[in-house]
Amino acid sequence: MKLKRFLTGVLSAVMALSVCALPAAAVDDGVNAGAATTSKYTTSTIDTGKEGSITIYKRSMTSALPTEPAGNGETTAPEGEPLENVGFTIYQVMDAGELVKYYDGITKGNAVTYKDYFDSDATEFTASTLKDNVKLKEVKGQNGEPGEKKTGVDGKVEFTGLKVGLYLVIETTLPQAVTKKADPFLVSIPMTRIGAGKDETENSNNKVWMYDVTVYPKNSIAQGDVILEKKGVTGSDTAKAVGLDGVKFTLYRKSDTDDTYTAVADCRDKATENGQIQFSNLRKGSYYIMETGYADKADAGYILDTKAKYAFAIDKDGKVAENTDLTGADVVKATEGVFAIDSTKSKLTVYNYKPDVEKTVTKRDGSSTVTNTDGTTVGNHEADYGVGDKVTYTLTIDVPANITKLKTFTVTDTTVAKQLVHDTGSVTVSAKDKDDKEVKDITSAYGKADIKTEDANSVLTIAFTPANLESVAGGQITITYTATVQKDAVVANNGNLNTAKLLYSRTTDTDKTEAGDNKPYEIEDQSVVYTFSTSLLKKGEGGTYGGKAMPGVAFELYKKVETDEWGTDGTVVIAGKTYAKSSDVVKNAVELGLATDANETWILIPHADALNAESSDDAGTTGTDGKLTYTGLPKGTYRFVETKTLNGYNLLSKPVDAKLTLDYTTTWDTFSTYEKGVLVKHKYNTTSYKSNGKDATPGAEITIINRSGFQLPVTGGFGTLLFSGIGVLLVLAGVAVLFSMKKKNDRA
């Protein structure tokens, strides 16, 4: 009878072990396994006064949980990776006496399972669904504190000093990565050893008791690979976004013990290559990424959002999903045009923005664009005007979508003051939003335009307040203004340059001082205005001034006004003077030899000396050196008409070409990359000139020859006296003949 009860107890123990061993298999890391408590065995009879232990090695599985082989309570080397911060709580559901009675078959009923200790209607087997009397049997700490213990980095946790009895083990805290926890299981202290070693082949298993039990429960975890894609956007046009290389990111993962996030090992300051970074084998959980800067020589001028936390998660299927538990002002969830999460492709896309500025100058015909040979239209960067003319400039600014996060957004335009001066009161600012709709008033974003003379330069400055530009985020700002060509403007050659700059913050961290490596980015764009001169040298041929310069010879300069030069109001401005088509077009252009078509419109251009003297005679006069110069003129068709010459010389029989029918070609150096934070879009290089298809030098001196006239007899001169004298002599001879004949008659 005693033998029968003993065998019944052994079989019950084996059954209990089988129940608890199904989830208890895991891989030892090869280092810590050897540190497990060495099992101690006794035979035949349970020593109820002996203490034992339960050592748990928690393992993860990315595949299905295995059910074979069952655990044997001893240290093994099964599959899996250690799981840290898994919490276990144990409950002594049987004391020594109850366990002995159970094994001896004294306790009636079927073999117990873990479900027997939970509420009968429980569908989830957690600490909260335990029966009330079982909750009271929690094995607590020495001072009565909760008895939960958590695995370390090696996935190991130990419960020592356990009295003989049956223990229910429950996972009470799970790391994020777990998609399916291990079921609760039962462990008896002691348990019958399964599978004797070689040194005990002579012993029967049912005579060996093990007081130190090791188990390997497993959890299913999810892992996923994530591709981070970095794109740069100018303004707000994400359709034209470009991949960015060399942008550095750090990956952060939520702790399994609290709400803090820490950087993931080997995922600090990883830089994009071909616009991407791949993060591999990310366990289920909550994450975010942050931009940390650019790699060396990778700065592309896009604004880094170094305060933004781009939040995402890895779900139970190892797919990218939204992170729903991270909050805060700097947290960026999936937002159109800022951050995108594509779960089907396991891809994250982070967008960086930058502005752009283009400076154009309006030509005399009113256009501000040019058409390339391939049919594309681009902004015009060169024009020609006269001294005194007001030149119209336009700055077109693409506003970044994240403009309100910036500290600096300032526009400047600089000219050499003796060449061009900005006109006070000429500045207008208009704007459109990202949908191309007009924003009526943005004066609160900049206040006013400031024009000052600084270091011999005329400087226009408009400092915007980025926080007040929300209405034009991703839209466009247009600034127009005029500058007047000065009398000392450069004539031809390199022209008169002016440079526009847009300064904007490098990062969205407005608390960081914008100096040194964090000084604002600059985008520069240039334009050039040309003005020309025509000059003549008057010489004589024959007579008093033969081969010499002729001073005091007067010339009038006429300009042909092309049809497209006349404004809609019938006026045109040449060298600062307004001409009306109705009153200033010369009526006798054909008679003067200026035109062969009476429909051509020609105007008389007064010489500067005549204008300054307020003379009614608009002609210019050659100086003592025989030279006459008209300067500060736009290009076009001009002709000189000589109106007064010197004694003994004839006037020219027809007008002389002033040689201002020029074509100029400006060569620009263009760039698309930033050097030390500065992008120079157009930088002046050289200018070449042609006239009628041949190379020309603007302002080259024109030599005009005047020839002396033929000498004609002078009325009342020597020739007349001679004939008069002969006549008198003939008359006197006739009188003498008459007197002599009369004397002869008297004698007769």
Side-chain angles (χ1 to χ4, degrees):
M1 193 64 179
K2 290 183 178 180
L3 178 59
K4 182 178 180 181
R5 284 199 298 270
F6 179 76
L7 291 174
T8 300
V10 171
L11 289 173
S12 298
V14 172
M15 289 177 64
L17 178 60
S18 298
V19 170
C20 72
L22 285 175
V27 155
D28 180 47
D29 57 17
V31 174
N32 300 301
T37 302
T38 303
S39 297
K40 297 180 176 60
Y41 311 121
T42 63
T43 59
S44 298
T45 305
I46 295 176
D47 182 355
T48 57
K50 193 176 183 67
E51 291 185 346
S53 66
I54 299 175
T55 299
I56 302 172
Y57 282 97
K58 189 61 180 176
R59 291 297 187 260
S60 64
M61 297 291 293
T62 56
S63 57
L65 292 179
T67 58
E68 296 293 341
N72 60 15
E74 298 185 85
T75 301
T76 61
E79 299 176 350
E81 293 293 331
L83 268 179
E84 185 182 7
N85 292 316
V86 181
F88 288 92
T89 304
I90 64 174
Y91 301 81
Q92 187 178 12
V93 293
M94 290 185 188
D95 59 20
E98 291 171 326
L99 180 65
V100 170
K101 289 180 181 180
Y102 177 76
Y103 280 160
D104 286 346
I106 297 174
T107 304
K108 294 182 179 181
N110 297 325
V112 295
T113 69
Y114 71 85
K115 293 182 181 179
D116 294 328
Y117 299 99
F118 291 87
D119 293 334
S120 58
D121 58 350
T123 57
E124 294 185 0
F125 302 99
T126 65
S128 63
T129 59
L130 285 169
K131 292 179 178 179
D132 290 339
N133 66 318
V134 177
K135 292 178 181 178
L136 300 174
K137 296 179 180 181
E138 178 183 347
V139 178
K140 297 189 176 183
Q142 292 180 352
N143 299 318
E145 67 271 13
E148 183 187 57
K149 292 185 178 183
K150 293 184 178 180
T151 57
V153 292
D154 56 358
K156 176 184 175 182
V157 64
E158 292 181 292
F159 293 89
T160 59
L162 300 179
K163 296 179 180 179
V164 171
L166 183 64
Y167 293 85
L168 173 66
V169 183
I170 303 176
E171 284 184 350
T172 47
T173 299
L174 294 177
Q176 302 173 82
V178 173
T179 60
K180 183 179 180 181
K181 68 176 183 177
D183 290 332
F185 55 91
L186 296 168
V187 177
S188 66
I189 302 296
M191 67 172 281
T192 303
R193 189 174 182 230
I194 298 175
K198 292 181 180 179
D199 58 336
E200 299 186 49
T201 55
E202 72 280 4
N203 294 331
S204 300
N205 291 335
N206 59 10
K207 292 183 179 180
V208 179
W209 292 97
M210 185 165 55
Y211 287 81
D212 298 310
V213 180
T214 301
V215 292
Y216 291 84
K218 291 183 174 64
N219 286 117
S220 287
I221 66 168
Q223 288 184 329
D225 296 337
V226 177
I227 294 175
L228 169 62
E229 183 178 53
K230 186 63 175 176
K231 288 194 172 183
V233 181
T234 299
S236 64
D237 191 356
T238 55
K240 296 181 180 178
V242 297
L244 298 182
D245 290 342
V247 184
K248 296 189 293 186
F249 286 87
T250 294
L251 175 68
Y252 295 83
R253 185 177 188 275
K254 184 181 178 182
S255 170
D256 288 325
T257 58
D258 54 36
D259 290 333
T260 62
Y261 284 75
T262 55
V264 176
D266 300 326
C267 292
R268 295 179 177 89
D269 290 333
K270 293 192 70 172
T272 53
E273 295 181 10
N274 298 319
Q276 295 183 343
I277 299 172
Q278 178 159 329
F279 299 108
S280 301
N281 300 322
L282 299 186
R283 291 182 174 181
K284 176 178 173 289
S286 298
Y287 297 83
Y288 68 79
I289 50 175
M290 289 189 75
E291 295 177 336
T292 57
Y294 282 106
D296 290 343
K297 299 181 180 179
D299 193 339
Y302 291 91
I303 303 161
L304 294 180
D305 201 339
T306 53
K307 298 184 71 174
K309 298 175 180 177
Y310 300 99
F312 70 99
I314 300 295
D315 66 14
K316 62 183 179 61
D317 298 317
K319 298 293 186 180
V320 179
E322 291 194 24
N323 180 340
T324 58
D325 60 11
L326 184 64
T327 59
D330 296 325
V331 175
V332 180
K333 304 292 179 91
T335 306
E336 182 180 356
V338 178
F339 178 47
I341 298 176
D342 187 340
S343 59
T344 59
K345 297 180 180 178
S346 291
K347 181 187 293 185
L348 308 173
T349 303
V350 176
Y351 295 90
N352 278 113
Y353 289 84
K354 74 172 182 177
D356 196 14
V357 60
E358 182 177 33
K359 178 183 179 66
T360 59
V361 57
T362 303
K363 294 183 286 188
R364 289 178 48 75
D365 62 7
S367 65
S368 57
T369 60
V370 292
T371 302
N372 294 324
T373 54
D374 61 1
T376 57
T377 300
V378 295
N380 179 62
H381 289 272
E382 60 264 3
D384 57 274
Y385 282 87
V387 168
D389 285 345
K390 293 183 181 298
V391 184
T392 300
Y393 295 94
T394 302
L395 299 179
T396 304
I397 302 167
D398 292 327
V399 182
N402 60 346
I403 180 65
T404 57
K405 292 185 176 183
L406 306 189
K407 186 175 184 178
T408 298
F409 200 72
T410 300
V411 178
T412 65
D413 185 80
T414 304
T415 67
V416 177
K418 68 179 183 180
Q419 300 173 358
L420 289 159
V421 173
H422 297 93
D423 297 318
T424 302
S426 69
V427 182
T428 62
V429 181
S430 60
K432 292 182 178 180
D433 64 18
K434 63 183 179 62
D435 297 319
D436 205 33
K437 294 180 181 178
E438 182 182 358
V439 177
K440 292 186 177 180
D441 185 14
I442 64 165
T443 54
S444 63
Y446 69 93
K448 67 174 184 177
D450 184 38
I451 298 174
K452 292 181 179 178
T453 301
E454 300 175 354
D455 299 327
N457 292 323
S458 177
V459 182
L460 164 66
T461 302
I462 301 179
F464 291 97
T465 302
N468 295 342
L469 287 174
E470 184 176 1
S471 61
V472 293
Q476 203 170 69
I477 294 175
T478 302
I479 302 171
T480 60
Y481 53 93
T482 63
T484 300
V485 182
Q486 302 299 296
K487 64 182 182 62
D488 292 325
V490 172
V491 176
N493 296 326
N494 297 339
N496 302 275
L497 284 167
N498 63 333
T499 302
K501 292 183 180 181
L502 173 63
L503 290 80
Y504 63 99
S505 299
R506 285 174 176 261
T507 76
T508 58
D509 188 352
T510 56
D511 296 329
K512 189 175 181 180
T513 302
E514 293 190 326
D517 293 340
N518 193 47
K519 69 178 182 180
Y521 285 120
E522 293 182 15
I523 301 178
E524 294 184 5
D525 206 12
Q526 288 187 329
S527 66
V528 61
V529 167
Y530 299 100
T531 188
F532 301 103
S533 66
T534 182
S535 179
L536 61 83
L537 171 61
K538 185 67 175 178
K539 284 187 174 183
E541 184 176 300
T544 305
Y545 290 94
K548 297 179 182 179
M550 297 178 64
V553 179
F555 287 87
E556 291 179 338
L557 180 66
Y558 292 86
K559 182 185 186 305
K560 179 182 178 182
V561 181
E562 305 294 346
T563 302
D564 59 4
E565 287 186 90
W566 291 107
T568 55
D569 60 350
T571 65
V572 65
V573 178
I574 307 293
K577 179 177 172 61
T578 301
Y579 299 86
K581 192 173 185 179
S582 59
S583 58
D584 293 315
V585 173
V586 297
K587 307 299 183 184
N588 58 341
V590 175
E591 289 81 354
L592 288 172
L594 299 171
T596 57
D597 182 352
N599 292 319
E600 291 182 2
T601 53
W602 289 76
I603 58 174
L604 173 62
I605 304 296
H607 190 268
D609 292 342
L611 282 174
N612 294 335
E614 296 183 356
S615 169
S616 58
D617 184 0
D618 292 326
T621 305
T622 57
T624 55
D625 56 358
K627 295 181 179 180
L628 173 64
T629 299
Y630 282 77
T631 191
L633 300 172
K635 71 171 187 174
T637 302
Y638 294 81
R639 287 176 183 158
F640 286 109
V641 174
E642 190 176 63
T643 58
K644 184 181 74 172
T645 188
L646 303 183
N647 286 336
Y649 292 86
N650 294 319
L651 291 169
L652 297 178
S653 62
K654 61 181 180 179
V656 176
D657 185 2
K659 295 184 178 181
L660 284 177
T661 52
L662 297 168
D663 293 316
Y664 52 85
T665 301
T666 307
T667 302
W668 300 92
D669 292 329
T670 59
F671 304 91
S672 59
T673 57
Y674 286 71
E675 292 292 335
K676 296 182 179 179
V678 178
L679 169 62
V680 180
K681 294 183 64 177
H682 292 87
K683 185 175 183 180
Y684 175 84
N685 189 323
T686 57
T687 307
S688 59
Y689 298 92
K690 289 184 180 294
S691 179
N692 298 318
K694 296 181 179 180
D695 292 340
T697 301
E701 196 171 78
I702 305 166
T703 300
I704 299 175
I705 302 298
N706 268 113
R707 291 185 171 86
S708 59
F710 297 103
Q711 288 285 357
L712 298 177
V714 180
T715 301
F718 176 76
T720 304
L721 294 175
L722 176 64
F723 285 104
S724 298
I726 293 173
V728 170
L729 291 175
L730 290 174
V731 170
L732 292 175
V735 171
V737 171
L738 289 174
F739 274 108
S740 64
M741 291 179 64
K742 184 176 180 182
K743 287 180 180 182
K744 287 181 180 181
N745 290 331
D746 289 342
R747 290 189 189 118

